[in-house]
């Protein structure tokens, strides 16, 4: 029987749907990619994929990674024109000898592989950003917390999914629109192998969700697995 774990309550219906629809013959990689794709397509999830909150200038950018082992991983960051960064990350892993592609050239890579281009900023997210912009200066995004209230300025609820298939193969995937209202160009932990995601077939797998700068500071996923 397959086993899957995923972050946040929004993953629960996704895990149930993927378990029902893909069944026990699916590979671990297909399971985790499908979970991330479902979250990316869900406009009501405002921290992943289409519908994610944008940066301080109203630009929605996406990061994602997939991993099977230290020799088999792929990631993309700052995707601006494709709804499914997790599938671009998988293409990086399977079709190139590289690990990470970034920005407009990563979008161009997705175009070249026939992935459909689309607008990422959903209307509710644009409206939230316009409201945020009325009350804040873009430079405020330099601090993740409001020092007065201690509240976070934005969300960063990455979907991270780990699976073991019936052959005992482990895989992981994560996908995020990053921190809401981030400084344009900011990339968090999710597309950095060992930070937001790590899979070591001999030892285990981990994925992270939360404040990317804190996660990256201690290479969290790598550290957890190897410890
Ligand atoms: N954990 C996602 C991010 O901070 O970008």
């Amino acid at each position: 029987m397959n086993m899957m774990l995923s972050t946040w309550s929004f993953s629960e219906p996704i895990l149930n749907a993927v378990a029902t629809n893909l069944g026990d013959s699916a590979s671990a990689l297909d399971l985790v990619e499908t979970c991330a794709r479902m979250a990316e397509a869900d406009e009501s999830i405002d921290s992943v994929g289409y519908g994610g909150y944008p940066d301080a200038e109203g630009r929605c950018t996406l990061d994602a990674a997939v991993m099977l082992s230290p020799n088999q991983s792929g990631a993309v960051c700052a995707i601006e024109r494709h709804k499914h960064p997790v599938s671009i990350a998988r293409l990086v892993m399977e079709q190139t000898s590289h690990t990470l592609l970034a920005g407009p050239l990563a979008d161009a890579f997705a175009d070249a592989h026939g992935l459909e281009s689309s607008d990422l900023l959903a209307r509710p997210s644009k409206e939230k950003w316009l409201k945020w912009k009325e009350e804040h200066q873009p430079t405020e995004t330099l601090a993740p917390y409001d020092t007065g209230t201690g509240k976070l300025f934005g969300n960063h609820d990455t979907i991270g999914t780990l699976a073991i298939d019936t052959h005992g193969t482990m895989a992981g995937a994560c996908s995020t629109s990053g921190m809401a209202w981030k400084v344009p160009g900011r990339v968090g932990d999710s597309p950095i192998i060992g930070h937001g995601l790590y899979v070591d077939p001999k030892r285990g797998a981990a994925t992270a969700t939360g404040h990317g700068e804190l996660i990256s500071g201690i290479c969290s996923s790598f550290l957890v697995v190897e410890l």
Side-chain angles (χ1 to χ4, degrees), residues 194-198 205-208 215 218-226:
H195 293 201
L197 178 67
Y198 196 68
T207 187
I215 294 163
I218 56 164
C219 306
S220 300
S221 296
F222 173 80
L223 188 65
V224 165
V225 170
E226 298 305 333

Side-chain angles (χ1 to χ4, degrees), residues 8 47 63 155-159 175-180 182 186-191 196 208-216:
W8 298 106
S47 51
D63 307 327
N155 61 343
H156 38 62
D157 299 346
T158 312
I159 184 168
S175 183
T176 185
S177 52
M179 192 177 287
K182 60 197 172 188
R186 180 263 187 193
V187 173
D189 58 302
S190 300
T209 183
H211 184 182
E213 284 73 2
L214 299 178
I215 294 163
S216 284

Side-chain angles (χ1 to χ4, degrees), residues 92-214:
V92 172
M93 179 176 82
E94 293 181 337
Q95 305 289 330
T96 79
S97 56
H98 309 307
T99 300
L100 174 62
L101 297 184
L105 293 177
D107 275 305
F109 171 82
D111 293 336
H113 283 80
L115 301 193
E116 192 186 344
S117 183
S118 68
D119 186 15
L120 298 180
L121 189 61
R123 188 189 292 187
S125 301
K126 185 173 181 181
E127 284 166 1
K128 286 259 172 48
W129 167 69
L130 288 170
K131 190 166 178 317
W132 175 85
K133 204 161 80 96
E134 277 172 17
E135 297 164 2
H136 296 90
Q137 297 298 318
T139 48
E140 286 182 49
T141 58
L142 289 171
Y145 293 93
D146 182 323
T147 47
T149 64
K151 283 176 64 182
L152 279 170
F153 279 131
N155 61 343
H156 38 62
D157 299 346
T158 312
I159 184 168
T161 308
L162 306 173
I164 306 179
D165 62 26
T166 49
H167 302 288
T169 301
M170 273 191 294
C174 61
S175 183
T176 185
S177 52
M179 192 177 287
W181 334 132
K182 60 197 172 188
V183 173
R186 180 263 187 193
V187 173
D189 58 302
S190 300
I192 313 295
I193 296 302
H195 293 201
L197 178 67
Y198 196 68
V199 179
D200 181 341
K202 293 201 182 108
R203 291 173 181 82
T207 187
T209 183
H211 184 182
E213 284 73 2
L214 299 178

Side-chain angles (χ1 to χ4, degrees), residues 4-30:
M4 288 185 280
L5 283 173
S6 195
T7 55
W8 298 106
S9 52
F10 60 65
S11 285
E12 198 176 337
I14 293 175
L15 289 176
N16 289 334
V18 169
T20 305
N21 295 333
L22 267 65
D24 271 344
S25 58
S27 71
L29 189 58
D30 284 343

